[in-house]
């Protein structure tokens, strides 16, 4: 994202936490701080636990925070697993081998040399996605190389880099020009001078050390250690924290919980530069995410509201503004900035609601019963007097479920909420029946273990008997063969 600002600070997000797509797996955020998580190539891992409706597998495990597919990062370790020194050393060596070939200081050194070159010698290898120095050209003579790279192009790396397309790790969707211009103008009109962009992968070779940190947003890990952390802290606390805003566009497959924990740490870092008089102030944030995560985001950040503005992307087939029904972009901006200060473009189909004191989409009609403009997806929603709320126009009230849903929904289908008791007002980690569930599951596991051991013993016994029988048959065949040959 290009912005008209005095300075731009960027934090690189390493891929996406793919645990969102796995039902029955929850992240555990209350691990003992005295026991650090093991490291994978993407930094500290996250702890997860497998849960299912009505039962819980209490054995926790560590897995990569950034990759949802084991093919991309094969790290797996049980919480209580003990590793040998040789295995730990092999893991450390593997982690080192997976790091970028160039350090941050090397990237900066190459960048300074690159901008000093005359325009005719500034070249970019599209095959390797790398800025080239004169000494590099021989290695890339068979590659697709772009010449005459201008300073303007260097300031907009997304125009040079190809977006990554692996949806389970590093899928990158770029804002359309319409959304970029809106965000730039909005930030400028709100008076922000510095932008902390959290989630700008592969930009390391385009920025100086004081403007970029290699960072994992799912575990608050700075790959270049304390020096990088201090760069981020200095950027946030400059001018006592005034005039800075954090803009983040996380991978949509990422879990909200670890993202929220990370963002709260960045907020705390920003607050350290404030005086006690400003302790109630918050770091301004734009969190760009699909609208159906509204309840989860507001659970962690009650001061946030969701804007009606539809964020669209150039290289995504579905996330487009202006389409109707379910095909329009579901991506919105969550912010702690008062919505009455944010003007949405009237020419793009937004209007100001004097009752809500905020801009909404044209189809988002004010409901007198809810006393709010209730639509989330750009369509006109209908008020259900039985549910006492507005619902999507395609939903109807089901007398069996006693709530609104699609006409062809399954009344017995899985529901959101607690995996243990099925209630919708809390998650498994806060369930009052969790201790009872653990006792039941422990007994079930012991019973399964006894059954498994019994089956193993029977299998071993059967294999032994089968081996004896096969030996006898073999001896009979040998005696018969000897008799026929004699």
């Amino acid at each position: 994202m290009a912005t008209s600002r005095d300075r731009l600070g960027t934090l690189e997000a390493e891929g996406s936490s793919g645990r969102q797509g796995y039902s029955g797996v929850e992240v555990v955020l209350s691990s003992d701080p005295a026991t650090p998580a093991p490291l994978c190539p993407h930094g500290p891992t996250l702890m997860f636990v497998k849960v299912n409706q009505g039962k819980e597998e209490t054995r926790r495990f560590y897995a990569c925070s950034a990759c949802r597919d084991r093919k991309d990062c094969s790290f797996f370790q049980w919480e209580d697993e003990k590793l040998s020194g040789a295995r730990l050393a092999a893991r450390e060596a593997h982690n080192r081998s997976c790091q970028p070939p160039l350090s941050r200081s090397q990237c900066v050194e190459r960048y300074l040399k690159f901008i000093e070159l005359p325009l005719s010698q500034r070249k970019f290898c599209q095959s390797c996605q790398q800025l080239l120095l004169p000494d590099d050209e021989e290695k890339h003579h068979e590659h697709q190389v772009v010449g005459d790279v201008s300073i303007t192009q260097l300031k907009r790396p997304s125009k040079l880099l190809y977006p990554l397309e692996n949806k389970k790790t590093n899928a990158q969707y770029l804002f359309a020009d319409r959304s970029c211009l809106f965000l730039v103008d909005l930030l400028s009109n709100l008076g922000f001078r510095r932008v902390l962009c959290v989630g700008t992968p592969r930009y390391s070779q385009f920025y100086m050390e004081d403007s970029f940190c290699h960072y994992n947003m799912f575990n608050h890990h700075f790959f270049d250690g304390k020096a990088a952390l201090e760069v981020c802290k200095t950027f946030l606390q400059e001018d006592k924290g005034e005039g800075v805003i954090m803009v983040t566009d996380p991978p949509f497959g990422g879990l909200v919980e670890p993202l929220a924990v990370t963002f709260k740490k960045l907020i705390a870092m920003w607050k350290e530069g404030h005086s006690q008089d400003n302790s109630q102030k918050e770091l301004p944030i734009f969190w760009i995410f699909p609208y159906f995560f509204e309840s989860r985001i507001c659970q962690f950040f009650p001061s946030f509201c969701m804007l009606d503005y539809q964020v669209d992307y150039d290289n995504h087939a579905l996330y487009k503004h202006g389409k109707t029904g379910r095909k329009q972009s579901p991506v919105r901006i969550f912010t702690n900035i008062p919505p009455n200060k944010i003007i949405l473009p009237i020419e793009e189909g937004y209007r100001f609601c004097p009752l809500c004191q905020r801009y909404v989409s044209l189809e988002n009609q004010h409901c007198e019963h809810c006393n709010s403009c209730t639509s989330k997806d750009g369509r006109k929603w209908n008020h259900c007097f039985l549910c006492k709320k507005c619902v999507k126009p395609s939903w109807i009230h089901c007398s069996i479920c006693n709530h609104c849903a699609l006409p062809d929904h399954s009344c017995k289908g899985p529901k959101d909420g607690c995996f243990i008791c099925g209630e919708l007002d809390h998650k498994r980690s806060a369930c009052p029946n969790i201790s009872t569930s653990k006792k039941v599951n422990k007994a079930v596991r012991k019973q399964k273990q006894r059954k498994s051991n019994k089956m193993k013993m029977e299998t071993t016994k059967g294999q032994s008997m089968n081996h004896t029988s096969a030996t006898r048959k073999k001896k009979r065949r040998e005696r018969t063969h000897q008799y026929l040959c004699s």
Side-chain angles (χ1 to χ4, degrees):
M1 181 181 73
T3 59
S4 54
R5 71 283 183 195
D6 294 338
R7 292 177 58 201
L8 170 68
T10 59
L11 296 180
E12 174 178 2
E14 275 283 350
S16 69
S17 172
R19 307 299 160 184
Q20 189 74 52
Y22 287 79
S23 60
V25 177
E26 289 188 3
V27 65
V28 180
L29 298 174
S30 57
S31 57
D32 185 2
T35 307
L39 301 177
C40 76
H42 305 94
T45 54
L46 292 179
M47 186 185 292
F48 298 90
V49 62
K50 292 183 179 180
V51 291
N52 294 293
Q53 185 72 34
K55 62 180 181 178
E56 174 190 4
E57 298 178 20
T58 56
R59 195 178 185 189
R60 300 172 175 181
F61 62 93
Y62 293 102
C64 179
S65 66
C67 303
R68 75 172 73 179
D69 196 327
R70 295 265 178 87
K71 294 178 181 178
D72 299 304
C73 184
S74 60
F75 188 97
F76 182 92
Q77 179 182 323
W78 293 110
E79 178 190 17
D80 54 1
E81 186 177 357
K82 302 298 182 184
L83 302 182
S84 65
R87 191 173 170 188
L88 289 172
R91 175 183 291 173
E92 185 177 346
H94 172 71
N95 291 346
R96 285 197 303 267
S97 68
C98 294
Q99 296 310 305
L102 298 176
S103 66
R104 280 293 298 127
S105 58
Q106 290 174 318
C107 287
V108 171
E109 184 180 352
R110 287 178 59 87
Y111 179 78
L112 291 173
K113 290 180 179 178
F114 187 87
I115 60 177
E116 290 177 354
L117 294 172
L119 183 63
S120 60
Q121 294 185 27
R122 290 195 214 130
K123 298 179 181 180
F124 178 79
C125 179
Q126 292 184 326
S127 304
C128 302
Q129 298 286 278
Q130 180 183 334
L131 297 173
L132 301 182
L133 295 177
D135 294 341
D136 303 326
E137 293 184 20
E138 186 177 346
K139 302 175 184 177
H140 301 264
H141 70 278
E142 294 183 356
H143 296 178
Q144 188 170 355
V145 175
V146 176
D148 299 337
V149 178
S150 66
I151 298 298
T152 302
Q153 287 176 297
L154 292 176
K155 290 182 177 179
R156 300 194 69 180
S158 59
K159 295 295 184 180
L160 287 172
L161 296 169
Y162 286 137
L164 297 175
E165 296 179 349
N166 188 340
K167 294 181 180 179
K168 295 184 179 181
T169 51
N170 289 303
Q172 294 173 315
Y173 299 113
L174 306 179
F175 292 147
D177 286 342
R178 162 193 161 269
S179 294
C180 265
L181 292 173
F182 167 73
L183 285 169
V184 170
D185 291 341
L186 178 59
L187 295 175
S188 178
N189 293 334
L190 290 172
F192 295 109
R193 304 183 301 277
R194 291 173 291 119
V195 181
L196 180 72
C197 296
V198 183
T200 52
R202 301 184 306 143
Y203 281 17
S204 181
Q205 60 182 318
F206 296 94
Y207 287 99
M208 301 295 289
E209 289 175 310
D210 63 345
S211 300
F212 183 93
C213 299
H214 187 193
Y215 179 76
N216 186 333
M217 67 164 69
F218 292 99
N219 53 22
H220 189 58
H221 176 66
F222 290 85
F223 286 85
D224 294 301
K226 188 175 181 181
L229 185 148
E230 290 299 323
V231 168
C232 180
K233 184 183 293 186
T234 300
F235 185 86
L236 284 172
Q237 296 179 2
E238 185 179 319
D239 295 333
K240 296 184 178 180
E242 295 297 325
V244 64
I245 183 173
M246 187 182 97
V247 177
T248 180
D249 180 31
F252 298 157
L255 282 168
V256 171
E257 289 88 341
L259 287 172
V261 170
T262 289
F263 297 161
K264 286 184 177 181
K265 290 179 180 178
L266 291 173
I267 293 171
M269 190 184 298
W270 171 82
K271 277 190 174 182
E272 289 177 10
H274 276 74
S275 62
Q276 293 296 324
D277 297 337
N278 295 327
S279 59
Q280 300 301 317
K281 292 184 66 176
E282 289 185 320
L283 169 68
I285 294 176
F286 279 171
W287 181 345
I288 299 166
F289 225 49
Y291 70 82
F292 35 81
F293 286 102
E294 180 184 20
S295 61
R296 300 292 295 133
I297 292 176
C298 292
Q299 176 184 345
F300 288 97
F301 297 99
S303 62
F304 277 32
C305 67
M306 186 181 78
L307 305 181
D308 264 22
Y309 184 81
Q310 293 183 18
V311 180
D312 62 338
Y313 298 79
D314 269 339
N315 58 330
H316 198 289
L318 298 180
Y319 295 175
K320 298 288 186 181
H321 172 70
K323 293 189 176 183
T324 58
R326 295 172 63 86
K327 294 295 181 70
Q328 63 186 348
S329 174
V331 186
R332 302 291 185 269
I333 300 174
F334 296 87
T335 182
N336 51 3
I337 298 174
N340 60 355
K341 294 184 177 180
I342 300 176
I343 300 175
L344 303 187
I346 297 175
E347 64 275 12
E348 293 185 13
Y350 300 98
R351 64 178 181 84
F352 185 76
C353 175
L355 298 175
C356 293
Q357 284 292 297
R358 68 184 181 99
Y359 277 82
V360 297
S361 61
L362 285 176
E363 295 296 320
N364 192 357
Q365 300 298 312
H366 192 90
C367 175
E368 60 180 6
H369 306 288
C370 297
N371 192 28
S372 174
C373 292
T374 52
S375 173
K376 308 294 183 185
D377 60 8
R379 297 178 292 173
K380 181 182 178 181
W381 285 22
N382 302 320
H383 187 83
C384 175
F385 290 94
L386 296 175
C387 291
K388 298 181 180 179
K389 65 178 182 179
C390 287
V391 297
K392 296 180 178 180
S394 56
W395 288 14
I396 61 172
H397 193 87
C398 176
S399 58
I400 300 175
C401 299
N402 196 30
H403 66 79
C404 289
L406 289 169
D408 59 348
H409 77 284
S410 173
C411 296
K412 296 181 180 179
K415 298 178 180 179
D416 294 332
C418 179
F419 277 106
I420 295 176
C421 66
E423 294 295 329
L424 302 178
D425 60 347
H426 63 268
K427 296 196 73 177
R428 177 202 63 82
S429 56
C431 182
N433 299 326
I434 190 169
S435 57
T436 305
S437 173
K438 286 181 179 179
K439 291 179 182 178
V440 172
N441 290 323
K442 188 175 182 180
V444 171
R445 283 197 302 276
K446 284 185 176 180
Q447 185 177 359
K448 286 183 177 179
Q449 188 64 43
R450 286 195 296 269
K451 186 176 180 180
S452 175
N453 292 340
K454 184 178 179 182
M455 290 177 64
K456 287 180 180 178
M457 291 176 63
E458 291 176 350
T459 301
T460 304
K461 184 178 179 181
Q463 289 175 345
S464 177
M465 294 178 66
N466 290 339
H467 176 72
T468 303
S469 177
T471 302
R472 288 174 180 171
K473 288 181 181 179
K474 183 179 180 181
K475 289 182 177 180
R476 282 199 299 267
R477 284 197 301 270
E478 290 175 349
R479 285 197 299 269
T480 303
H481 178 73
Q482 291 175 356
Y483 173 78
L484 293 173
C485 293
S486 60

